[in-house]
Amino acid sequence: MKKLRNEIWTGFSRVYTGKNIVKKRGRCLSYSDLDDIENVSVIVREGKIKAVLPTAKVGASLRKGLKKIDGQGAALMPGLIDSHTHLVFAGDRAGEFGQRCAGVTYAEIAQQGGGILTTVNATRLASQKMLLDLAVQRVKRAQSFGVTTLECKTGYGLDFETELKCLRVVDQVRKIFPEMTFVKTAMPHHAIPQGVSRETYFTESLQFLSRLHKESPFEAVDIFVDQCYFTHQDLKKLAAWAKRARVLLKVHADELVCTGSAGLGAKLGAVSVDHLLKISDPDIRQLAKSNTIATLLPGTALFLREPFAPARALLDAGARVALATDFNPGSCYSLNLPFMMHLGALHMRMNPAEVFAAVTINAAAALGQKNRGAILPGFIADFTALPVGDSGQASFEQVLYHMAW
Ligand SMILES: [Zn+2]
């Protein structure tokens, strides 16, 4: 979908504005908070929503100079936001997936030198052009699912040169797809390279982070805090760096075991804590009191045959929840955000308004994006048209209903 300038969006059967969800700041939502309006037009001036008003009231003077976009009966919602992807890497791990299907465990594959380090080796060897070609194909795939904002993490370089190469790929992708919004996240703290201790690598990578930021500025940093990965101490040091550099902090938290990293992330002002498969009850309460977004990644749980994150407990406690793909070669090879929404609705028992918030304003907040994720005056004009069902009706529920369509 093109970046919008001066346009009138009209002829949609219904428009989901997200008004109630914005009013409630994306928390404590019931199904009836999913509000839609029929027969309205959306007026866009200079890429921002100027007005949402009944089509009958749009006179000639209001239409003047606007390009008409005819919805032909489709439904309109804010553009989908995928707030957690590992977009840039080379190679795939289909062979390992076959082994897993034949009964070999993820840990056994890692012991044989496979897993994340397979991707690190392939990414280090790949040229920037090769990485760019792969990233471009992936962005087109995300676009085909209605995604208009995409977060892109590095994390398969684990050295200065390769992390920089991956950040530069995102810079190039931005130029190729000006109609989309990309949020760059540096994640050299994704794993520990072979043959180096965690302490040595953490110290080294914290030093090169500043150089990376200078060469190819990014909006956020992320760190994998878990058993055999990085520690609470490392997270505190990275949080201090992020504060000084004025970049957002994100945390891969409580994925493999419960370490309490979700609660610590919230205390340190992280914009989001992600995964949360093993989050503790006190940390659920901690998150609910904070502005930190709980980003849940149901595709990863499914791919790893793990129970889903406790979405209901988080939502009932009052936490703000986002849903994302976690697209990556090892634990979720999918950019199908509508499928994650389906999993959220059906298997994590999120009501449709909660799912809507999870891929619009809550996902925007997880990326520090203001004025995005609703069709209201002042918001950025960024839309997704929703599928029309076999009955000829277009609605938000159609997205949830179409399973991996
Ligand atoms: Zn991830």
Side-chain angles (χ1 to χ4, degrees):
M1 214 166 276
K2 286 247 177 296
K3 195 149 247 173
L4 310 163
R5 300 265 63 100
N6 297 305
E7 295 165 342
I8 176 164
W9 287 61
T10 193
F12 288 85
S13 59
R14 56 186 63 187
V15 174
Y16 292 90
T17 62
K19 191 176 178 183
N20 294 335
I21 293 167
V22 169
K23 212 184 281 174
K24 290 183 153 185
R25 298 180 54 83
R27 295 179 200 264
C28 305
L29 303 170
S30 52
Y31 191 2
S32 57
D33 289 317
L34 184 69
D35 58 322
D36 64 280
I37 317 175
E38 290 178 17
N39 300 318
V40 297
S41 293
V42 183
I43 292 181
V44 174
R45 294 249 181 225
E46 294 179 354
K48 285 206 168 164
I49 297 165
K50 193 81 185 156
V52 182
L53 74 178
T55 302
K57 286 195 178 170
V58 185
S61 61
L62 266 175
R63 287 175 190 272
K64 206 174 166 197
L66 300 178
K67 186 181 166 198
K68 184 180 167 185
I69 313 283
D70 187 354
Q72 298 181 341
L76 197 65
M77 72 171 285
L80 300 184
I81 300 170
D82 191 347
S83 60
H84 184 140
T85 84
H86 299 258
L87 191 82
V88 188
F89 60 85
D92 67 50
R93 310 231 291 264
E96 288 177 8
F97 186 76
Q99 283 185 289
R100 277 186 56 215
C101 295
V104 184
T105 66
Y106 199 84
E108 284 164 347
I109 291 168
Q111 274 162 17
Q112 291 161 16
I116 193 167
L117 296 175
T118 309
T119 306
V120 170
N121 289 336
T123 307
R124 286 179 178 176
L125 288 171
S127 66
Q128 192 170 319
K129 169 81 173 71
M130 197 188 288
L131 287 168
L132 177 65
D133 289 347
L134 288 167
V136 165
Q137 282 176 32
R138 292 166 189 164
V139 173
K140 285 182 181 167
R141 183 118 194 106
Q143 265 187 322
S144 76
F145 292 120
V147 171
T148 58
T149 300
L150 197 62
E151 190 245 14
C152 309
K153 299 181 201 295
T154 67
Y156 290 106
L158 309 184
D159 61 27
F160 175 76
E161 288 73 23
T162 318
E163 289 290 313
L164 181 59
K165 183 168 70 178
C166 294
L167 286 169
R168 285 190 167 142
V169 167
V170 185
D171 293 334
Q172 287 178 288
V173 160
R174 262 186 180 149
K175 287 187 186 143
I176 296 169
F177 297 92
E179 70 278 24
M180 285 186 72
T181 300
F182 297 91
V183 174
K184 269 166 78 184
T185 301
M187 197 180 178
H189 303 108
H190 188 199
I192 298 142
Q194 251 174 336
V196 197
S197 72
R198 180 192 58 76
E199 291 85 345
T200 307
Y201 177 65
F202 183 81
T203 310
E204 204 179 276
S205 51
L206 199 60
Q207 282 166 359
F208 74 58
L209 206 50
S210 301
R211 279 195 289 145
L212 281 178
H213 193 40
K214 212 170 161 193
E215 295 283 337
S216 175
F218 42 82
E219 287 82 43
V221 283
D222 200 338
I223 180 167
F224 189 8
V225 181
D226 221 309
Q227 201 177 38
C228 304
Y229 288 86
F230 296 95
T231 65
H232 280 199
Q233 213 46 42
D234 299 336
L235 170 56
K236 286 179 190 166
K237 286 182 187 164
L238 184 65
W241 183 91
K243 204 171 174 187
R244 279 198 306 277
R246 296 188 179 178
V247 305
L248 305 170
L249 175 69
K250 297 169 84 67
V251 188
H252 279 57
D254 298 325
E255 180 185 359
L256 307 176
V257 296
C258 178
T259 65
S261 45
L264 179 60
K267 273 187 213 148
L268 293 169
V271 75
S272 75
V273 288
D274 302 32
H275 284 288
L276 315 183
L277 298 183
K278 306 284 162 63
I279 188 172
S280 69
D281 289 342
D283 277 5
I284 289 176
R285 291 193 289 275
Q286 171 77 32
L287 266 184
K289 281 189 288 180
S290 76
N291 287 322
T292 300
I293 302 291
T295 301
L296 309 183
L297 310 160
T300 312
L302 192 71
F303 207 92
L304 296 177
R305 289 189 286 230
E306 287 285 330
F308 292 108
R312 216 39 281 153
L314 283 155
L315 291 160
D316 292 342
R320 290 185 73 180
V321 169
L323 285 167
T325 60
D326 190 23
F327 170 71
N328 78 83
S331 60
C332 189
Y333 198 68
S334 174
L335 279 158
N336 190 337
L337 188 57
F339 179 52
M340 308 309 156
M341 294 159 68
H342 164 88
L343 291 174
L346 192 65
H347 290 282
M348 297 159 92
R349 298 173 189 278
M350 296 169 70
N351 72 47
E354 289 166 339
V355 176
F356 185 97
V359 291
T360 57
I361 66 154
N362 286 354
L367 300 177
Q369 295 278 306
K370 294 197 175 74
N371 301 329
R372 189 182 290 281
I375 304 182
L376 296 170
F379 275 71
I380 292 158
D382 202 5
F383 309 123
T384 292
L386 296 168
V388 179
D390 298 337
S391 59
Q393 295 284 312
S395 69
F396 180 70
E397 288 82 348
Q398 293 285 359
V399 188
L400 309 180
Y401 172 64
H402 283 70
M403 188 174 80
W405 187 254

PDB file of all heavy atoms in Angstrom, residues 19 43 56 65 81 116 138 161 181 273 275 295 324 338 358 370 374:
ATOM      1  N   LYS A  19     -11.378   3.848  17.870  1.00  0.00           N
ATOM      2  CA  LYS A  19     -11.608   4.978  18.782  1.00  0.00           C
ATOM      3  C   LYS A  19     -11.716   4.547  20.253  1.00  0.00           C
ATOM      4  O   LYS A  19     -11.042   5.108  21.129  1.00  0.00           O
ATOM      5  CB  LYS A  19     -12.884   5.704  18.362  1.00  0.00           C
ATOM      6  CG  LYS A  19     -13.093   7.031  19.036  1.00  0.00           C
ATOM      7  CD  LYS A  19     -14.329   7.709  18.481  1.00  0.00           C
ATOM      8  CE  LYS A  19     -14.563   9.029  19.209  1.00  0.00           C
ATOM      9  NZ  LYS A  19     -15.780   9.672  18.737  1.00  0.00           N
ATOM     10  N   ILE A  43     -10.576  11.324   5.084  1.00  0.00           N
ATOM     11  CA  ILE A  43      -9.852  12.345   4.316  1.00  0.00           C
ATOM     12  C   ILE A  43      -8.416  12.448   4.827  1.00  0.00           C
ATOM     13  O   ILE A  43      -8.180  12.580   6.031  1.00  0.00           O
ATOM     14  CB  ILE A  43     -10.587  13.702   4.392  1.00  0.00           C
ATOM     15  CG1 ILE A  43     -11.901  13.543   3.617  1.00  0.00           C
ATOM     16  CG2 ILE A  43      -9.738  14.837   3.820  1.00  0.00           C
ATOM     17  CD1 ILE A  43     -12.752  14.735   3.549  1.00  0.00           C
ATOM     18  N   ALA A  56     -21.982  11.151   2.958  1.00  0.00           N
ATOM     19  CA  ALA A  56     -22.999  12.107   2.503  1.00  0.00           C
ATOM     20  C   ALA A  56     -22.611  13.559   2.806  1.00  0.00           C
ATOM     21  O   ALA A  56     -23.069  14.487   2.140  1.00  0.00           O
ATOM     22  CB  ALA A  56     -24.327  11.777   3.173  1.00  0.00           C
ATOM     23  N   GLY A  65      -8.845  18.482  -4.771  1.00  0.00           N
ATOM     24  CA  GLY A  65      -7.411  18.147  -4.770  1.00  0.00           C
ATOM     25  C   GLY A  65      -7.092  16.782  -4.194  1.00  0.00           C
ATOM     26  O   GLY A  65      -5.916  16.447  -4.007  1.00  0.00           O
ATOM     27  N   ILE A  81       0.642  -3.941  12.161  1.00  0.00           N
ATOM     28  CA  ILE A  81       2.007  -3.664  12.630  1.00  0.00           C
ATOM     29  C   ILE A  81       2.617  -4.952  13.163  1.00  0.00           C
ATOM     30  O   ILE A  81       2.098  -5.524  14.127  1.00  0.00           O
ATOM     31  CB  ILE A  81       1.982  -2.585  13.739  1.00  0.00           C
ATOM     32  CG1 ILE A  81       1.372  -1.290  13.195  1.00  0.00           C
ATOM     33  CG2 ILE A  81       3.388  -2.349  14.299  1.00  0.00           C
ATOM     34  CD1 ILE A  81       1.082  -0.235  14.264  1.00  0.00           C
ATOM     35  N   ILE A 116      21.104 -21.676  16.088  1.00  0.00           N
ATOM     36  CA  ILE A 116      21.337 -20.257  15.760  1.00  0.00           C
ATOM     37  C   ILE A 116      22.711 -20.031  15.094  1.00  0.00           C
ATOM     38  O   ILE A 116      22.852 -19.199  14.205  1.00  0.00           O
ATOM     39  CB  ILE A 116      21.154 -19.402  17.034  1.00  0.00           C
ATOM     40  CG1 ILE A 116      21.070 -17.934  16.687  1.00  0.00           C
ATOM     41  CG2 ILE A 116      22.192 -19.645  18.070  1.00  0.00           C
ATOM     42  CD1 ILE A 116      20.589 -17.077  17.853  1.00  0.00           C
ATOM     43  N   ARG A 138      11.108 -10.995   1.658  1.00  0.00           N
ATOM     44  CA  ARG A 138      10.367 -11.154   2.923  1.00  0.00           C
ATOM     45  C   ARG A 138       9.439  -9.968   3.172  1.00  0.00           C
ATOM     46  O   ARG A 138       8.323 -10.142   3.658  1.00  0.00           O
ATOM     47  CB  ARG A 138      11.367 -11.323   4.081  1.00  0.00           C
ATOM     48  CG  ARG A 138      12.119 -12.641   3.978  1.00  0.00           C
ATOM     49  CD  ARG A 138      13.333 -12.702   4.893  1.00  0.00           C
ATOM     50  NE  ARG A 138      14.135 -13.878   4.598  1.00  0.00           N
ATOM     51  CZ  ARG A 138      15.393 -14.061   4.996  1.00  0.00           C
ATOM     52  NH1 ARG A 138      16.012 -13.124   5.706  1.00  0.00           N
ATOM     53  NH2 ARG A 138      16.035 -15.163   4.684  1.00  0.00           N
ATOM     54  N   GLU A 161      31.132  -6.158  12.173  1.00  0.00           N
ATOM     55  CA  GLU A 161      30.988  -6.047  10.711  1.00  0.00           C
ATOM     56  C   GLU A 161      29.639  -6.597  10.238  1.00  0.00           C
ATOM     57  O   GLU A 161      28.952  -5.967   9.430  1.00  0.00           O
ATOM     58  CB  GLU A 161      32.116  -6.802   9.982  1.00  0.00           C
ATOM     59  CG  GLU A 161      33.477  -6.135  10.067  1.00  0.00           C
ATOM     60  CD  GLU A 161      34.111  -6.257  11.450  1.00  0.00           C
ATOM     61  OE1 GLU A 161      33.733  -7.199  12.208  1.00  0.00           O
ATOM     62  OE2 GLU A 161      34.956  -5.407  11.800  1.00  0.00           O
ATOM     63  N   THR A 181       6.679   1.510   6.887  1.00  0.00           N
ATOM     64  CA  THR A 181       7.478   2.044   7.994  1.00  0.00           C
ATOM     65  C   THR A 181       8.290   0.893   8.582  1.00  0.00           C
ATOM     66  O   THR A 181       7.750  -0.183   8.838  1.00  0.00           O
ATOM     67  CB  THR A 181       6.552   2.642   9.061  1.00  0.00           C
ATOM     68  OG1 THR A 181       5.802   3.685   8.439  1.00  0.00           O
ATOM     69  CG2 THR A 181       7.339   3.227  10.231  1.00  0.00           C
ATOM     70  N   VAL A 273       8.425  -6.189  26.478  1.00  0.00           N
ATOM     71  CA  VAL A 273       9.078  -7.442  26.858  1.00  0.00           C
ATOM     72  C   VAL A 273       8.360  -8.526  26.061  1.00  0.00           C
ATOM     73  O   VAL A 273       7.132  -8.531  25.996  1.00  0.00           O
ATOM     74  CB  VAL A 273       9.033  -7.704  28.384  1.00  0.00           C
ATOM     75  CG1 VAL A 273       9.970  -6.763  29.110  1.00  0.00           C
ATOM     76  CG2 VAL A 273       7.629  -7.559  28.953  1.00  0.00           C
ATOM     77  N   HIS A 275       7.856 -12.541  24.259  1.00  0.00           N
ATOM     78  CA  HIS A 275       7.772 -14.004  24.447  1.00  0.00           C
ATOM     79  C   HIS A 275       6.922 -14.355  25.672  1.00  0.00           C
ATOM     80  O   HIS A 275       5.788 -14.750  25.541  1.00  0.00           O
ATOM     81  CB  HIS A 275       9.151 -14.709  24.541  1.00  0.00           C
ATOM     82  CG  HIS A 275       9.821 -14.846  23.234  1.00  0.00           C
ATOM     83  ND1 HIS A 275       9.382 -15.726  22.275  1.00  0.00           N
ATOM     84  CD2 HIS A 275      10.893 -14.210  22.691  1.00  0.00           C
ATOM     85  CE1 HIS A 275      10.154 -15.628  21.207  1.00  0.00           C
ATOM     86  NE2 HIS A 275      11.077 -14.712  21.426  1.00  0.00           N
ATOM     87  N   THR A 295       4.591  -8.373  24.516  1.00  0.00           N
ATOM     88  CA  THR A 295       4.473  -8.825  23.124  1.00  0.00           C
ATOM     89  C   THR A 295       4.503 -10.346  23.081  1.00  0.00           C
ATOM     90  O   THR A 295       5.502 -10.967  23.462  1.00  0.00           O
ATOM     91  CB  THR A 295       5.608  -8.224  22.257  1.00  0.00           C
ATOM     92  OG1 THR A 295       5.508  -6.807  22.323  1.00  0.00           O
ATOM     93  CG2 THR A 295       5.488  -8.678  20.811  1.00  0.00           C
ATOM     94  N   ALA A 324       2.845 -10.540  17.573  1.00  0.00           N
ATOM     95  CA  ALA A 324       3.754 -10.372  16.430  1.00  0.00           C
ATOM     96  C   ALA A 324       4.185 -11.743  15.932  1.00  0.00           C
ATOM     97  O   ALA A 324       3.877 -12.767  16.548  1.00  0.00           O
ATOM     98  CB  ALA A 324       4.958  -9.528  16.852  1.00  0.00           C
ATOM     99  N   PRO A 338      -1.720 -12.259  10.174  1.00  0.00           N
ATOM    100  CA  PRO A 338      -3.122 -12.666  10.403  1.00  0.00           C
ATOM    101  C   PRO A 338      -3.236 -14.065  11.024  1.00  0.00           C
ATOM    102  O   PRO A 338      -4.166 -14.313  11.797  1.00  0.00           O
ATOM    103  CB  PRO A 338      -3.728 -12.627   8.990  1.00  0.00           C
ATOM    104  CG  PRO A 338      -2.920 -11.580   8.291  1.00  0.00           C
ATOM    105  CD  PRO A 338      -1.522 -11.760   8.803  1.00  0.00           C
ATOM    106  N   ALA A 358      -3.810  -5.484  19.617  1.00  0.00           N
ATOM    107  CA  ALA A 358      -2.499  -6.143  19.673  1.00  0.00           C
ATOM    108  C   ALA A 358      -1.683  -5.968  18.395  1.00  0.00           C
ATOM    109  O   ALA A 358      -0.461  -6.157  18.407  1.00  0.00           O
ATOM    110  CB  ALA A 358      -2.694  -7.634  19.965  1.00  0.00           C
ATOM    111  N   LYS A 370       4.206   6.948  17.785  1.00  0.00           N
ATOM    112  CA  LYS A 370       3.037   7.699  18.236  1.00  0.00           C
ATOM    113  C   LYS A 370       2.124   7.983  17.043  1.00  0.00           C
ATOM    114  O   LYS A 370       2.567   7.984  15.913  1.00  0.00           O
ATOM    115  CB  LYS A 370       3.476   9.006  18.877  1.00  0.00           C
ATOM    116  CG  LYS A 370       4.247   8.750  20.165  1.00  0.00           C
ATOM    117  CD  LYS A 370       4.334  10.001  21.029  1.00  0.00           C
ATOM    118  CE  LYS A 370       5.000   9.668  22.355  1.00  0.00           C
ATOM    119  NZ  LYS A 370       6.461   9.464  22.223  1.00  0.00           N
ATOM    120  N   ALA A 374      -4.586   3.820  14.480  1.00  0.00           N
ATOM    121  CA  ALA A 374      -6.025   4.122  14.579  1.00  0.00           C
ATOM    122  C   ALA A 374      -6.408   4.984  13.384  1.00  0.00           C
ATOM    123  O   ALA A 374      -5.542   5.630  12.773  1.00  0.00           O
ATOM    124  CB  ALA A 374      -6.340   4.855  15.879  1.00  0.00           C
TER     125      ALA A 374
END
